[in-house]
Structures are given as structure tokens and as C-alpha cells.
Amino acid sequence: MFFLFDCDNFFVSCERIFRPDLKKRPVVVLSSNDGCVVSRSYEAKALPIAMGAPYFKIEKMLRGAGGVALSSNFELYSDISRRVMSLIRQNCGAIQVYSVDEAFARLPDTGIDHFQLAVCIRHQILKEVGIPVSIGIAPTKTLCKVASSLAKSKAFDKVEILTDPQRIRQTLKNFEVENIWGIGRRLTPKLNFLGIFTALELQNSPLKMIRRNFGIPLEKTVMELNGRPCLDIEREETAQSITVSRSFEHEISNFEQLEAIIAGFTDTACRRLRAQNAAAGEIAVFLKTNRFRNQNGSSGGSYLVSLGGPCVHTGRFIAAMKYGLKQIFSPQETYKSAGITLLAIESADALQTSLFEKSALPPEEQKLMQTLDKLNAKLGARTVFFAAQALAPQKFVRSNFHSPAYTTSWQSLVNVH
DNA sequence: TCTGGGGTCCTAGGACCC
DNA sequence: TCTGGGGTCCTAGGACCC
């Protein structure tokens, strides 16, 4: 049996832990650059404020209703996420952390009272971390998603078990096909055209026809709706790519500034890379113009540079990035966003040695980077950094409603419990 | 005036091989 | 007139997710 743990209105719930005055009020958390709404309290949903709505379009309505908007504070959310996940892990063993606010678990079908266990975990997370969680229980992951959305609409003890075939059919009959996990904007009209509007109609669709028209992923979805598990808990592996990118508050046309900002992105990405004990062989750099100003969306460009073998050294990635940036930068343009992606990532334990290098990772480079990471961990981020970042402006992303760094006091706060 | 960021998987098609 | 049939590997792009 699969369990899906899904935090309610996660970012808003995180902010509310430290701001009791936000309870019962419309609250939204904004994306980077204070652009779009990415998390809403129930009161904000009721206004209504849509997911992904641009802030400037809903600002007035929110204020009029006595609501509050906050910039996102990802350090805080990841800290709280780690605490939630660790409680789930204590109760369920190996879990799959599916996103910052969701996790799947798989438990034996017999011998335990699933409902009772779920209610206990839910109460524990609420008491010890302060985050409300909905829990869906079903024979497949796809049905778990359906169950958890039922759980969310409950008034209390937000746990829903979906195992009885008759009840599954009844539920799917009232469930729109576009709300099923794995069915997005493009697939919905195609399915509708074939007369498939409800999840029940999809459940009853012939597998061969689905596979022919939509491919393997949707075929799996249909089998999962029929209670046949096709997707299992996935174990955590090394990431296949690491991206760091931002939209800017003001468009930038100065090459040196862009270079310095993107050097900072490269630094961040390389830290993440080393934190998972991995190395990367390629870096792609990209620039984008303002997609809302041009008729044909955003232009810009991207350029992929190979490092000639696995690498962990920030300086070498920055040099490669600079080369790539020169290829795509145009002095006539002004840029609204930029970023880099590290690719060809391998776990450092199982590195393939390149024909041309004696050792895949030069030991002196590894040591230098370890020292750098340690220094910054001990003395605070950006104690030691690369000169290439020096020319970056202090602030180039809008974040006008950022909550304070509660995380520093978080440690003492948990000791209270 | 203001419109996010970070991922995964699958597929189709081309290059190349026997 | 008629022009094999597999394979594999790679990449770009599409579709989805939160």
C-alpha cells in the first residue's frame, strides 16, 4: 500500500509557524522577484486568487481583503521540509521525497491499521513542527494523488483511504481527467476530443489505444487508475542536472555585470554539486530577454561548454561559463534573466576516468574545494568567494516582503518542545 | 511599471554500423 | 518501376511535475 504525505499550503504554513497573526487571514507567498503567487492560504484561495497569478494583478484585491503577501524564503522552507521528512521517515522507513512538500512511502498491505498510523503521523508533525499534512492511502501512487486531494477537502483528520474498487470508481466518476497526476494542459484537449472527460472514462479506456495515441507514460497512468502499480518508490540518486537561474528586477545589458552575476550562480551550483559528492562534465549558460515585451516571447540563447572530463572546481566552471557567455551575449540586447545548468553529472565514487587524464579528479582541486566549502560552512556563506563575482550588484532580484532569518533561532525553538 | 525556478522522462529522428 | 533490416547512440524538443 502506498502513502502520500502532502503538506497543506506549504510555504504559507511555514511562514505562519512564526507569525501567528497570519492565521485566518488571506496570505500568499510570491515566487522569486515577487513575480507570481506560488502558495496560498485557504482564505486567499477563497478570494479567489489563482495559483500562478502575477502579483501586480491581485495586489489590490488582496490588500482590500486584509491579506498579506510575502517574498519566498527558501532556506526556511527547506529547513522545515527536512524536519517533516525526518518524522515521516522515522515512522515509515525508506521514503521517496517527491518535492519540498510531498513524500511517498510504501507500507505492508496487512498487519497494520493504515488509517490509525496516518492519523498518528499527522498529529505528530502538527505538534512537533507545526505543519498540517494531508495523507492519501491507495494501492498505487496515482490513486494516492487522488486520495490526497480528497483528504485535503476534509475538515479534520485529513486522511483518506482509497482501496475499495467500487469506491474508487465512484470517486473517479466525479474527478476531472485534467486533475489526474500526469495529465497536463496539452493532453487534456486531446483526451476530451476522444470523449474522455472523467478519470473513470480514462480508467475504462483500452490500453492499446492509449499507448498508440499517447505513449507509455499515459498507459501506466491508466493501469495505475485500475489499481495495478507501475510506479514504485524511487530511491534517491545523484541529480542529473543542477540549474541556478534568476529573473532580474531590472533588465541588464552590461556584460561585466552579467558575467559577475552568473559567476555567482555557477558558485552556488558547484556547492550543490559537491554537497552530493558528485562531479560534472558540462556547463550550459543561457540568457533571456523579456518575454512579455517581445511579440514572439523571449529570445536570447544558450551555449554548452564541455570541461573535457568530470570536474568539481568552481574556477574551471566559471572560466567555461565566461567563454560560453561571450558566444551568446549581444551588446544590442537587454536581458531579463540568466542562468547556468551543470550537466553530465556523475557520482564522485564511481567516476569514469577520461583517457586523457591520469586521475579523473585532480586531488589538489578536490582539496582546495573542500577547504573552501568548510570555511564557508563555518564562517558563513560568501566568506571566501571567487573574484569573478566581485562586480555583481548587491541586489538584482526583487524581494520586498522577505521574512527574517528564523532559521537561526530555529534550533533553540525546537528545543522548547 | 510589475508575469518564478528547478527538475524528470519519453520520443522522434539523424548518424552510424553491420 | 523496384533500392534490406536491424541495431545503437545521441540530441533536441515536448510533455509533465511541484
Side-chain angles (χ1 to χ4, degrees):
Chain A
M1 199 62 65
F2 289 91
F3 281 48
L4 172 62
F5 300 84
D6 192 343
C7 300
D8 296 341
N9 316 330
F10 184 56
F11 298 168
V12 166
S13 298
C14 290
E15 299 284 351
R16 276 178 168 169
I17 295 176
F18 304 94
R19 294 269 310 266
D21 61 300
L22 297 179
K23 296 219 163 103
K24 314 249 170 183
R25 290 171 71 185
V27 180
V28 301
V29 172
L30 304 174
S31 64
S32 167
N33 220 28
D34 293 341
C36 298
V37 172
V38 291
S39 180
R40 305 161 295 160
S41 69
Y42 288 113
E43 297 78 10
K45 286 177 191 173
L47 274 180
I49 290 174
M51 189 65 170
Y55 177 54
F56 72 90
K57 285 191 180 169
I58 56 103
E59 183 181 1
K60 242 184 201 164
M61 188 211 314
L62 182 66
R63 284 238 187 97
V68 176
L70 297 162
S71 304
S72 43
N73 181 349
F74 278 101
E75 288 101 295
L76 175 68
Y77 311 149
S78 351
D79 249 20
I80 294 175
S81 173
R82 270 192 289 273
R83 305 204 74 85
V84 171
M85 297 307 169
S86 130
L87 285 183
I88 299 174
R89 211 173 271 122
Q90 277 173 32
N91 285 282
C92 302
I95 61 171
Q96 177 188 353
V97 176
Y98 181 66
S99 73
V100 69
D101 68 334
E102 280 177 63
F104 284 105
R106 188 174 186 174
L107 285 114
D109 288 350
T110 52
I112 35 168
D113 184 337
H114 294 129
F115 186 82
Q116 211 41 53
L117 174 65
V119 168
C120 282
I121 299 175
R122 190 184 132 73
H123 285 167
Q124 191 188 6
I125 296 171
L126 197 54
K127 187 175 152 230
E128 294 185 22
V129 193
I131 294 289
V133 177
S134 300
I135 304 171
I137 304 168
T140 69
K141 280 171 137 183
T142 304
L143 287 171
C144 262
K145 280 279 192 179
V146 175
S148 102
S149 79
L150 293 188
K152 275 185 196 301
S153 56
K154 285 187 157 186
F156 56 91
D157 276 348
K158 300 189 173 198
V159 176
E160 184 67 46
I161 300 192
L162 209 48
T163 49
D164 174 58
Q166 180 55 40
R167 207 160 150 261
I168 292 176
R169 277 195 292 275
Q170 207 35 251
T171 304
L172 297 186
K173 194 175 169 185
N174 300 313
F175 207 83
E176 285 179 38
V177 79
E178 66 207 76
N179 294 327
I180 293 176
W181 190 40
I183 296 176
R185 258 209 329 278
R186 303 295 176 134
L187 252 37
T188 302
K190 272 182 89 176
L191 287 165
N192 289 169
F193 182 75
L194 294 171
I196 298 166
F197 294 90
T198 69
L200 183 66
E201 285 161 348
L202 184 64
Q203 188 201 34
N204 292 327
S205 297
L207 284 177
K208 274 189 183 160
M209 180 276 284
I210 292 294
R211 173 148 189 181
R212 187 163 17 93
N213 288 294
F214 301 94
I216 292 168
L218 197 66
E219 188 191 25
K220 284 186 178 172
T221 300
V222 175
M223 291 199 276
E224 288 238 322
L225 286 175
N226 281 286
R228 287 167 56 189
C230 299
L231 309 167
D232 204 348
I233 301 295
E234 292 169 25
R235 63 185 190 86
E236 281 173 48
E237 286 169 31
T238 313
Q240 303 190 6
S241 67
I242 297 173
T243 301
V244 178
S245 74
R246 289 290 176 277
S247 291
F248 309 135
E249 179 168 16
H250 308 291
E251 293 175 29
I252 299 180
S253 54
N254 178 290
F255 181 82
E256 283 72 29
Q257 273 194 356
L258 276 173
E259 194 181 56
I261 289 169
I262 303 172
F265 296 165
T266 309
D267 184 29
T268 306
C270 289
R271 287 166 203 273
R272 281 188 209 159
L273 179 73
R274 295 192 293 267
Q276 30 180 306
N277 190 30
E282 295 169 350
I283 179 169
V285 53
F286 52 92
L287 293 172
K288 287 181 191 168
T289 60
N290 192 335
R291 66 193 161 116
F292 295 99
R293 235 178 42 182
N294 308 2
Q295 307 238 309
N296 306 325
S298 77
S299 56
S302 72
Y303 197 92
L304 180 71
V305 188
S306 170
L307 278 284
C311 177
V312 294
H313 189 278
T314 305
R316 286 175 58 188
F317 282 106
I318 290 179
M321 174 280 289
K322 284 181 171 181
Y323 175 78
L325 183 61
K326 282 198 187 98
Q327 313 305 311
I328 54 173
F329 177 79
S330 156
Q332 284 83 41
E333 290 285 8
T334 64
Y335 295 101
K336 179 63 179 170
S337 77
I340 58 104
T341 302
L342 304 183
L343 295 149
I345 295 178
E346 303 171 65
S347 158
D349 310 323
L351 268 185
Q352 278 198 323
T353 311
S354 148
L355 270 178
F356 306 104
E357 293 197 53
K358 286 191 182 120
S359 150
L361 290 178
E364 63 278 11
E365 288 191 2
Q366 276 197 74
K367 214 164 207 176
L368 178 63
M369 289 302 121
Q370 277 169 9
T371 310
L372 186 121
D373 289 341
K374 266 185 205 156
L375 268 176
N376 285 323
K378 199 172 167 186
L379 303 172
R382 304 293 144 118
T383 304
V384 183
F385 60 92
F386 283 78
Q389 299 168 52
L391 286 175
Q394 282 293 307
K395 181 173 174 293
F396 50 87
V397 173
R398 186 166 48 227
S399 179
N400 289 339
F401 324 106
H402 203 276
S403 44
Y406 300 118
T407 31
T408 46
S409 55
W410 175 249
Q411 202 51 46
S412 53
L413 196 121
V414 279
N415 290 339
V416 174
H417 290 286

